[in-house]
Amino acid sequence: MADLIVSPQELRRRVAAWRREGQTLGFVPTMGALHEGHLSLVRQARTECKRVVVSVFVNPSQFGPGEDFSRYPRTLEEDRRLCDPLADVVFTPTVEAMYPSAQEVWVEPGPSARGLCGAFRPGHFRGVLTVVAKLFHMVDPDITYFGSKDYQQGVLVKQMVRQLGFPLEVRLCPTVREPDGLAMSSRNRYLSPAQRAQALCLIRGLRAAERLALGGGRPEVGALKAAVAAEVAKVPEAKVDYIEIVHPESLEPLTGAMRGEALAALAVRIGTTRLIDNLLLRTA
Ligand code: AMP
């Protein structure tokens, strides 16, 4: 079984011992309720690094009022089992260890946090970057692994690492999907069987845009958006937060005819569950 470490000091001692032996360290930060999407990151870390740490921490500062912090699934024993034998350590710090006093100093994201989820979850990415920075200091990895499922988060973490000079590499790994295309997410377990079927409208919409992009010519961004929206609209229970076509690096909304690559991204609420997904579009 992967060792469970709660104390940051103990983690530092463990990492220092690995470092003395010249071993490389991969780090996968998570909020737990692990699934194959998380495990794909852990597997990738395993192939590139001698040692692997997975953190499981439901970070209060990235949830807004009325969001699902208190009901977020917490399945630590199962998480630990799933990490075996891929991870050396599962690090599960307490809220008190991560936030020993009221947080006054934050990592404030730049303009790439303004749109997409940032527009609907004020303070969310500030909370994410701040906890990720703390975790990077505690774990001190060579390489860290994030999922493209949370694409905006991945872009912002890369910017933070580059602009604040963290001595590590960030890998953005592909989204793992269920066989029917639904992006795996810890929040999928909130869905009833009927809602689980409705949730397929996200990937159907993205694939409709993908077909249009690949269909020849340079489709208008408005038409790509409309293709996504038409699929989502087939499910009356699905309430759209946003459907956007953005530049894959700056995350600025695109206009006019599509050129090169574009990211199609959306957030949809089904009942009380908020789901996100995205797909990188290319013209043929
Ligand atoms: P979370 O536990 O939701 O904070 O996610 C932890 C990490 O796993 C983040 O880097 C996510 O982007 C990544 N992740 C979540 N779902 C998936 C998925 N379906 N495929 C790949 N990575 C994922």
Side-chain angles (χ1 to χ4, degrees):
M1 251 333 203
D3 284 344
L4 200 67
I5 295 186
V6 177
S7 139
Q9 292 74 17
E10 192 185 338
L11 180 78
R12 277 185 216 281
R13 279 196 293 274
R14 183 73 60 97
V15 171
W18 292 336
R19 290 262 174 255
R20 279 195 296 277
E21 291 169 16
Q23 297 175 351
T24 54
L25 175 55
F27 175 43
V28 181
T30 82
M31 298 206 300
L34 299 186
H35 50 65
E36 270 302 315
H38 298 114
L39 296 181
S40 72
L41 307 182
V42 186
R43 265 185 221 109
Q44 186 59 35
R46 182 85 280 166
T47 63
E48 290 186 282
C49 303
K50 173 83 176 140
R51 298 291 181 178
V52 176
V53 172
V54 176
S55 67
V56 173
F57 179 65
V58 185
N59 172 36
S61 77
Q62 72 187 67
F63 290 80
E67 290 188 354
D68 55 344
F69 174 69
S70 51
R71 70 176 179 126
Y72 197 85
R74 288 158 170 90
T75 58
L76 185 56
E77 270 316 302
E78 174 71 358
D79 291 348
R80 194 175 167 203
R81 198 185 59 71
L82 288 171
C83 281
D84 200 59
L86 295 166
D88 296 282
V89 165
V90 174
F91 176 47
T92 60
T94 60
V95 172
E96 293 69 30
M98 296 304 289
Y99 296 96
S101 56
Q103 194 70 26
E104 294 168 333
V105 177
W106 298 89
V107 180
E108 198 65 56
S112 308
R114 267 187 222 138
L116 307 177
C117 286
F120 289 84
R121 304 185 71 188
H124 168 69
F125 288 117
R126 179 179 93 149
V128 169
L129 292 189
T130 301
V131 82
V132 167
K134 289 176 188 239
L135 287 167
F136 285 171
H137 288 312
M138 290 172 183
V139 181
D140 187 24
D142 297 290
I143 311 180
T144 184
Y145 299 83
F146 284 78
S148 298
K149 151 85 170 17
D150 301 274
Y151 191 97
Q152 190 175 20
Q153 168 176 278
V155 166
L156 292 167
V157 169
K158 277 188 173 180
Q159 287 178 351
M160 177 181 80
V161 162
R162 212 169 39 239
Q163 296 182 15
L164 296 185
F166 283 83
L168 53 91
E169 283 178 49
V170 182
R171 299 260 195 280
L172 208 52
C173 303
T175 300
V176 177
R177 300 179 177 282
E178 302 285 356
D180 61 7
L182 181 69
M184 289 191 183
S185 163
S186 305
R187 291 188 167 98
N188 290 349
R189 49 181 98 194
Y190 297 150
L191 301 170
S192 69
Q195 291 173 329
R196 168 69 181 71
Q198 292 158 7
L200 288 175
C201 69
L202 283 88
I203 185 60
R204 288 195 182 125
L206 293 172
R207 287 194 175 143
E210 185 179 48
R211 279 196 298 278
L212 193 58
L214 289 173
R218 287 173 48 199
E220 288 292 318
V221 163
L224 294 169
K225 237 190 233 194
V228 181
E231 282 300 325
V232 176
K234 289 180 186 168
V235 175
E237 293 84 356
K239 309 289 178 219
V240 175
D241 268 4
Y242 65 81
I243 295 172
E244 295 285 359
I245 311 290
V246 299
H247 187 278
E249 279 158 32
S250 69
L251 305 184
E252 287 290 329
L254 296 174
T255 53
M258 186 181 158
R259 245 167 290 132
E261 289 185 341
L263 186 83
L266 78 169
V268 167
R269 284 169 288 111
I270 295 184
T272 55
T273 305
R274 186 173 183 280
L275 300 173
I276 59 171
D277 202 352
N278 67 79
L279 211 55
L280 197 60
L281 307 180
R282 290 183 187 86
T283 47

